[in-house]
């Protein structure tokens, strides 16, 4: 397909294709990617759980928040860049979209190096900070070495490139690259955990499998980007750094737009860190149960997040083109789907919790805690779906302060204090820590709807202005 044909196909998808078809064309590959990534996260926990070593399972749960902070770094440049690119495409400003692609790519790579250096120099105190103790310290340290030091650039680069490639309408290619990494991880996990490495090194084996799979995904994206760049000399895909443009600097816009996305992911993981710390006094079984409950809950959260992330370029394009009617239809259709899916997930989690937890580990304390935690957290699924969609709308449209406000309230302002209050002040114990999640999501959904309705009224009045947000 020629460069002109690709541009025409992208325009038709964003501006002409029926809403339901356009939404699923963009969202389905992203949802599949999220599900595959969930499966490989499950694979790590399931395989390690076969050892019946609660300290090993706990180590994966402890590493998880820090590992996902790498996704926050990728979102800072990936979501920010995708939003700027899609709005520039809607405004037919190819030059700005092209510059944004390159700046976002190299900005993300530089951030990956900085993250790697932080882990190198502060790994030991960081492990203690996030809830590690003497029983799982070495397991956590080994996992961090392979995935967050050696694997920082592949992990962040993989997610970053997925966002940027999806922004130009290549959702299938973005989905394939990120899904490939997940599938490879599932295949390599048992090979390194039970065949290549000796018994007792299962956590290290899982980490090496993650490193290799993310490296393969990043190589795929680099090959795709370089091929498109050579084929389309003046196309949007470009990793040659442009000369700075004082009249229209794209880096501040990328950072300001991507910051709420990074903040949302970071605060979610900070919340998990606080949960691990508050749960730690109840033993490794409680920490393992919490980690498993949160991994199961990822089915709802990550699928809804995948769908909303997938439609971000569609919303941004329509907003840039001032096609508000189509934009509202996309939001309404996507919202209906994610809300119904969230409700279905909540029903399954609440009614089938013991069976779901026991699938990962057959250790009585972990199953008891995990069942209690999953039943509580499950109520948050449909509430979070609404908030995710509203955050995506604000990000796509450059509504920086609305996205920022909602991000810090949902995870950070509402839930972290609630963990302390429910556990300590009200005396609800370990279950109180989990109760903070649905509590925060109720408040977050209310704030999300208020901000969105205010934004929608602004569009109806013709008074929408991202600079004033």
């Amino acid at each position: 397909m020629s460069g002109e044909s690709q541009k025409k196909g992208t325009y038709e998808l964003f501006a002409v294709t029926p809403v339901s078809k356009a939404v699923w064309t963009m969202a389905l590959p992203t949802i599949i990617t999220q599900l595959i990534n969930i499966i490989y996260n499950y694979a790590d926990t399931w395989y390690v759980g076969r050892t019946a070593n609660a300290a090993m399972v706990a180590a994966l749960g402890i590493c998880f928040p820090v590992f996902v902070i790498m996704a926050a770094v990728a979102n800072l440049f990936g979501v920010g860049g995708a939003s700027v690119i899609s709005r520039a495409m809607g405004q037919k400003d190819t030059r700005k979209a092209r510059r944004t692609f390159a700046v976002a790519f190299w900005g993300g790579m530089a951030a990956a190096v900085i993250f790697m250096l932080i882990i190198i120099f502060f790994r030991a105190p960081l492990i203690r900070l996030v809830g590690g103790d003497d029983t799982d310290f070495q397991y956590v340290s080994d996992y961090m070495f392979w995935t967050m030091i050696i694997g920082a650039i592949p992990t962040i680069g993989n997610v970053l490139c997925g966002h940027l490639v999806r922004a130009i309408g290549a959702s299938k290619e973005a989905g394939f690259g990120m899904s490939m990494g997940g599938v490879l991880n599932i295949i390599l996990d048992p090979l390194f955990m039970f065949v290549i490495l000796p018994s007792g090194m299962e956590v290290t084996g899982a980490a090496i499998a993650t490193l290799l799979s993310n490296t393969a995904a990043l190589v795929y994206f680099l090959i795709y980007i370089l091929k498109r760049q050579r084929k389309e000399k003046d196309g949007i895909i470009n990793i040659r750094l442009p000369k700075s443009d004082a009249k229209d600097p794209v880096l501040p816009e990328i950072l300001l737009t991507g910051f709420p996305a990074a903040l949302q992911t970071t605060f979610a993981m900070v919340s998990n860190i606080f949960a691990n710390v508050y749960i730690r006094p109840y033993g490794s079984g409680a920490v393992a149960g919490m980690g498993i409950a949160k991994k199961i809950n990822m089915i709802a959260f990550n699928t809804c997040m995948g769908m909303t992330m997938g439609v971000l370029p569609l919303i941004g394009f329509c907003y840039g083109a001032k096609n508000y009617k189509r934009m509202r239809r996309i939001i309404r259709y996507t919202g209906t789907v994610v809300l119904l899916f969230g409700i279905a997930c909540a029903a399954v989690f609440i009614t089938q919790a013991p069976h779901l937890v026991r699938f990962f580990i057959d250790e009585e304390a972990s199953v008891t805690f995990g069942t209690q935690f999953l039943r509580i957290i499950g109520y948050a699924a449909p509430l979070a779906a609404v908030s995710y969609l509203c955050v995506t709308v604000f990000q796509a449209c450059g509504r920086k302060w609305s996205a920022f406000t909602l991000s810090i309230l949902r995870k950070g302002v509402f839930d972290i204090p609630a963990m302390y209050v429910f556990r300590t002040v009200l005396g609800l114990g370990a279950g109180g820590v989990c109760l903070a999640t649905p509590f925060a999501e109720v408040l977050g959904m209310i704030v999300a709807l208020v901000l969105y309705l205010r934004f929608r009224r602004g569009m109806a009045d013709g008074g929408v202005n991202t600079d004033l947000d």
Side-chain angles (χ1 to χ4, degrees):
M1 183 184 288
S2 68
E4 283 302 316
S5 296
Q6 286 171 331
K7 288 180 184 177
K8 184 179 178 181
T10 299
Y11 177 82
E12 288 181 353
L13 173 63
F14 284 6
V16 179
T17 302
V19 165
S20 59
K21 182 178 180 180
V23 166
W24 285 110
T25 298
M26 291 296 295
L28 190 58
T30 311
I31 293 171
I32 292 172
T33 298
Q34 290 289 333
L35 291 175
I36 291 175
N37 287 337
I38 291 170
I39 291 170
Y40 93 66
N41 270 290
Y42 284 5
D44 282 354
T45 304
W46 189 85
Y47 284 125
V48 172
R50 298 312 91 197
T51 66
N53 186 329
M56 283 190 178
V57 178
L60 295 184
I62 290 165
C63 284
F64 183 66
V66 187
F67 187 76
V68 177
I69 286 175
M70 288 196 289
V73 175
N75 287 343
L76 175 63
F77 292 91
V79 174
S83 174
V84 177
I85 289 169
S86 61
R87 280 182 280 128
M89 290 170 62
Q91 296 162 353
K92 296 184 168 39
D93 190 347
T94 302
R95 181 171 173 273
K96 181 176 181 178
R98 178 180 171 82
R99 286 192 298 116
T100 301
F101 196 105
V103 172
F105 176 84
W106 288 111
M109 292 295 101
V113 173
I114 294 171
F115 183 93
M116 175 183 66
L117 293 174
I118 291 172
I119 300 297
I120 288 174
F121 290 112
F122 300 104
R123 185 173 19 158
L126 184 60
I127 291 172
R128 300 293 185 187
L129 179 66
V130 298
D133 64 11
D134 291 339
T135 63
D136 47 42
F137 183 93
Q138 192 56 51
Y139 297 133
V140 177
S141 180
D142 291 344
Y143 196 86
M144 281 186 168
F145 175 79
W146 290 105
T147 61
M148 302 176 199
I149 295 176
I150 306 297
I153 291 176
T155 302
I156 290 174
N158 172 22
V159 178
L160 170 69
C161 289
H163 283 305
L164 297 179
V165 169
R166 188 184 307 114
I168 63 160
S171 187
K172 290 180 182 177
E173 290 79 0
F176 176 81
M178 298 183 74
S179 298
M180 179 183 69
V183 171
L184 278 175
N185 199 311
I186 295 167
I187 295 170
L188 294 176
D189 259 346
L191 183 63
F192 279 93
M193 293 169 71
F194 303 119
V195 179
I196 296 177
L197 297 182
S199 177
M201 295 188 68
E202 287 83 1
V203 172
T204 298
I208 294 173
T210 299
L211 163 66
L212 294 177
S213 61
N214 284 329
T215 300
L218 178 59
V219 169
Y220 161 81
F221 276 121
L222 291 176
I223 292 172
Y224 175 79
I225 287 170
L226 291 172
K227 279 186 176 179
R228 285 282 299 262
Q229 182 175 272
R230 283 196 300 269
K231 190 173 183 179
E232 304 169 25
K233 299 296 183 183
D234 296 319
I236 293 170
I237 285 190
N238 163 56
I239 56 173
R240 297 188 191 95
L241 272 176
K243 294 180 180 179
S244 60
D245 187 342
K247 294 181 179 179
D248 188 17
V250 294
L251 182 58
E253 190 174 0
I254 291 170
L255 294 176
L256 286 172
T257 306
F259 183 66
L263 196 68
Q264 177 173 265
T265 305
T266 301
F267 267 97
M269 292 309 102
V270 170
S271 174
N272 275 356
I273 290 169
F274 270 89
N276 284 336
V277 172
Y278 281 133
I279 287 292
R280 170 56 67 185
Y282 299 92
S284 290
V287 176
M290 173 72 83
I292 290 170
K294 286 187 175 292
K295 283 181 181 293
I296 295 171
N297 199 46
M298 286 170 61
I299 293 174
F301 277 41
N302 285 39
T303 301
C304 293
M305 190 184 298
M307 184 157 194
T308 57
M309 284 168 50
V311 300
L312 186 149
L314 286 174
I315 296 171
F317 180 93
C318 292
Y319 185 78
K322 297 185 178 181
N323 189 349
Y324 301 141
K325 181 178 179 181
R326 180 175 173 84
M327 188 181 99
R328 285 193 294 268
R329 290 175 61 203
I330 291 170
I331 294 169
R332 186 164 54 246
Y333 182 85
T334 305
T336 301
V337 173
V338 295
L339 181 60
L340 291 175
F341 181 78
I343 293 170
C345 285
V348 173
F349 296 162
I350 293 165
T351 59
Q352 303 300 316
H355 307 293
L356 294 171
V357 174
R358 199 175 292 278
F359 175 79
F360 291 96
I361 186 169
D362 195 9
E363 192 271 327
E364 201 56 40
S366 301
V367 172
T368 300
F369 278 111
T371 298
Q372 178 190 13
F373 297 159
L374 182 58
R375 281 176 170 160
I376 295 171
I377 295 173
Y379 285 102
L383 308 172
V386 176
S387 295
Y388 284 148
L389 178 59
C390 290
V391 169
T392 297
V393 171
F394 300 144
Q395 289 167 345
C397 301
R399 306 288 291 184
K400 309 170 189 67
W401 290 109
S402 294
F404 173 81
T405 300
L406 182 53
S407 296
I408 64 170
L409 289 179
R410 282 186 60 247
K411 293 294 182 180
V413 174
F414 289 153
D415 67 333
I416 293 176
M419 290 180 198
Y420 175 78
V421 171
F422 288 141
R423 188 197 75 155
T424 306
V425 178
L426 298 181
L428 298 178
V433 177
C434 291
L435 187 60
T437 297
F439 171 79
E441 292 297 353
V442 169
L443 299 181
M445 184 186 70
I446 293 170
V447 172
L449 292 175
V450 169
L451 291 173
Y452 174 71
L453 292 173
R454 175 171 164 261
F455 171 59
R456 181 166 173 168
R457 280 197 301 270
M459 284 193 297
D461 297 338
V464 172
N465 186 338
T466 58
D467 296 330
L468 298 178
D469 183 22

